Amino acid sequence: MSARLRRADPAAVAEALSHPDRSAPELKLLTKHFLAVLSEQAPGASVEVRVPPYAAAQVIPGVRHTRGTPPAVVEMDGATWVALATGELSWGEAESRGVVRASGQRADLSPYLPLRQD
């Protein structure tokens, strides 16, 4: 896991999740927290999950890339990522609304979402 991606303090996560209209700092905290959780639950480097401008993570077992664009890329905004991670939004709904862009093998994150909070 990237040194910049670490689980946030549970109280800070709960506080940020309690606000329906999240500020940029809250979205940053939640984005990095949930990318850290995904990195723990689906370690690997075959898919790059990008949530600009907050963070990106390489996850999912499979072919590892070291240079250039990875074989699979998933990109979305912070609010969409938090909604997917918490189960407020399903992968299918996100795709049908066009709020997630996914390309390449293994780019379907639905087997990993919503994230377990253990």
Side-chain angles (χ1 to χ4, degrees):
M1 179 184 339
S2 167
R4 296 183 308 158
L5 292 178
R6 292 196 175 99
R7 284 184 184 239
D9 174 69
V13 171
E15 175 66 22
L17 286 173
S18 73
H19 302 135
D21 295 321
R22 296 177 182 114
S23 67
E26 289 171 328
L27 278 176
K28 181 178 181 179
L29 177 134
L30 292 171
T31 295
K32 287 185 167 203
H33 170 77
F34 287 123
L35 282 174
V37 172
L38 178 64
S39 295
E40 291 171 5
Q41 293 178 7
S46 67
V47 178
E48 186 164 289
V49 180
R50 299 174 180 168
V51 187
Y54 304 116
Q58 292 184 3
V59 296
I60 315 293
V63 176
R64 180 178 180 84
H65 85 283
T66 55
R67 295 179 58 164
T69 302
V73 176
V74 177
E75 188 168 332
M76 70 206 80
D77 64 35
T80 299
W81 172 239
V82 171
L84 286 166
T86 59
E88 296 170 17
L89 179 66
S90 75
W91 184 258
E93 290 170 317
E95 283 189 314
S96 68
R97 290 182 192 173
V99 294
V100 70
R101 291 162 302 286
S103 64
Q105 290 182 324
R106 296 184 181 92
D108 180 356
L109 298 182
S110 60
Y112 306 96
L113 299 170
L115 295 172
R116 296 183 324 269
Q117 290 296 303
D118 40 291

